[in-house]
Amino acid sequence: KEITIYSPATSANLGPGYDIFGLALEEPYDLVNVEIIESSCKCCEQIKISVSGEKAEEIPLDPTQNTAGVVALKMMEDFNIKECVHIKIQKGIKPGSGLGSSSASCSGVAVAMNKLFNLELDNLKLIKYASLGEAVAAGAPHADNVAPGIMGNFTLTTSYEPLEVLNILLDMDVVVALPNIQVSTKEARKILPQEIPLQKLVNNVGKATGMIHSIYNKDFENLGKYMMGDQVVEPCRATLIEGYDEAKEKVKEFAYGITISGSGPAIIAIPKNKECSSEIAKIFKEIWNCPVYETKVGKGAYEV
Ligand code: HSE
């Protein structure tokens, strides 16, 4: 018995929504296959992991070190699952890119285990399990990638203790660049200020609430404007991504907004229309000579 799950890339933060806002993207995506297998040897571990695709060689296969393995192990422990499983991950999302690569594998495994063993877990419980893997990858169990990865569209993780997530339908094109620059999420979190002045809090709450109003009004111009108004996280991280300032300047004409996706180095822009989308893609390629996706907001993880 086996199951395959499409698990989308996600873009977290979107400017002022640090650790709160997230988007599911149609592309790129991981395919996560989980199969119940006969244990081939007496002493074998309960989980076998194989990874192919983008930077597969860098991903640990030990289930206690692999982010998706951690999720599966915890689910097996909590639900007293005794069978052995083979998790096959086909990485379409480059690890360490700022597009929720590890979280896509975590979400995919959580959804697959839920279906394979008829656990009947709701989305919130799946998000909780999937975010355990994020704790391994980023040093903190932030849910702003796994939430859209499971629910799709635009999500707001409005509370962590207890976990609360809201979901808003959003039909919007985006352009995403994956510059070939190393940014570790752990490090990109460490450089952020632990305290901020009240004036910056007021600014960011204003911009974040403005984004929600814009989404409900399908006003992408204002959405882009507010998305670029973060005064706390994006300015700190912008220094880590060479070429970002140049990209910001050059896409002005074609994009309603541009910001860092997650902890970077991926960059996400909202194009004014289809032609603008191609122009933005061209600019990104000229600056970074890197993969660029002209894609749109999409669904959460589903069985294929
Ligand atoms: N909210 C997280 C961060 C997302 O910005 O560190 C990481 O993809």
Side-chain angles (χ1 to χ4, degrees):
K1 201 174 164 197
E2 66 181 295
I3 198 161
T4 302
I5 304 290
Y6 154 100
S7 199
T10 50
S11 180
N13 301 337
L14 301 157
Y18 176 69
D19 278 358
I20 300 169
F21 293 168
L23 280 183
L25 303 174
E26 265 188 12
E27 274 187 312
Y29 56 86
D30 284 357
L31 287 176
V32 179
N33 173 283
V34 182
E35 185 184 5
I36 300 176
I37 49 166
E38 292 294 320
S39 168
S40 52
C41 65
K42 307 275 175 294
C43 58
C44 100
E45 288 168 357
Q46 225 186 332
I47 297 179
K48 179 180 169 197
I49 300 180
S50 319
V51 187
S52 60
E54 288 279 354
K55 285 200 180 174
E57 63 290 349
E58 291 179 15
I59 298 172
L61 300 180
D62 175 346
T64 61
Q65 306 295 316
N66 180 290
T67 55
V70 169
V71 174
L73 277 173
K74 181 70 177 142
M75 292 176 91
M76 290 174 127
E77 184 189 322
D78 288 358
F79 295 94
N80 203 19
I81 295 169
K82 298 289 179 218
E83 285 98 329
C84 295
V85 294
H86 185 183
I87 300 173
K88 280 175 254 169
I89 304 172
Q90 196 181 314
K91 296 293 310 168
I93 314 166
K94 192 172 150 197
S97 60
L99 283 184
S101 178
S102 58
S103 81
S105 302
C106 296
S107 303
V109 160
V111 172
M113 295 289 289
N114 188 40
K115 286 196 186 257
L116 204 54
F117 294 101
N118 298 315
L119 305 180
E120 297 188 0
L121 298 173
D122 60 20
N123 280 341
L124 203 62
K125 295 213 176 78
L126 290 175
I127 293 168
K128 270 191 197 164
Y129 276 110
S131 63
L132 293 174
E134 286 293 62
V136 176
H142 64 90
D144 52 342
N145 286 108
V146 286
I150 284 174
M151 289 178 149
N153 287 289
F154 181 92
T155 53
L156 302 98
T157 304
T158 50
S159 163
Y160 276 84
E161 291 287 342
L163 185 69
E164 287 171 7
V165 181
L166 302 177
N167 194 209
I168 309 177
L169 204 67
L170 175 60
D171 184 6
M172 184 176 77
D173 290 334
V174 292
V175 186
V176 177
L178 297 189
N180 194 15
I181 297 170
Q182 282 305 112
V183 176
S184 125
T185 299
K186 266 186 198 160
E187 294 308 315
R189 292 179 79 85
K190 275 193 203 147
I191 62 165
L192 301 178
Q194 289 308 301
E195 289 175 8
I196 58 164
L198 189 60
Q199 166 274 325
K200 289 193 179 182
L201 172 74
V202 173
N203 169 78
N204 273 34
V205 173
K207 300 299 187 290
T209 48
M211 284 177 69
I212 303 305
H213 186 269
S214 308
I215 289 175
Y216 275 112
N217 283 311
K218 297 191 172 50
D219 177 355
F220 300 140
E221 185 170 353
N222 267 322
L223 178 62
K225 184 188 81 180
Y226 289 130
M227 182 177 85
M228 293 181 74
D230 173 21
Q231 289 183 355
V232 179
V233 176
E234 189 259 10
C236 272
R237 290 175 167 176
T239 55
L240 304 175
I241 305 164
E242 210 187 316
Y244 176 46
D245 287 340
E246 184 188 347
K248 259 178 155 173
E249 193 51 40
K250 288 192 172 158
V251 303
K252 251 185 196 161
E253 206 185 323
F254 310 106
Y256 288 134
I258 172 171
T259 193
I260 300 169
S261 174
S263 56
I267 301 296
I268 182 165
I270 305 173
K272 292 185 180 173
N273 55 42
K274 285 276 178 218
E275 275 168 30
C276 288
S277 172
S278 320
E279 290 299 327
I280 294 168
K282 217 158 79 188
I283 293 169
F284 284 167
K285 281 180 193 155
E286 271 164 22
I287 297 178
W288 289 298
N289 185 24
C290 70
V292 174
Y293 297 91
E294 286 181 64
T295 181
K296 59 187 306 214
V297 179
K299 291 185 192 147
Y302 60 85
E303 188 180 349
V304 288

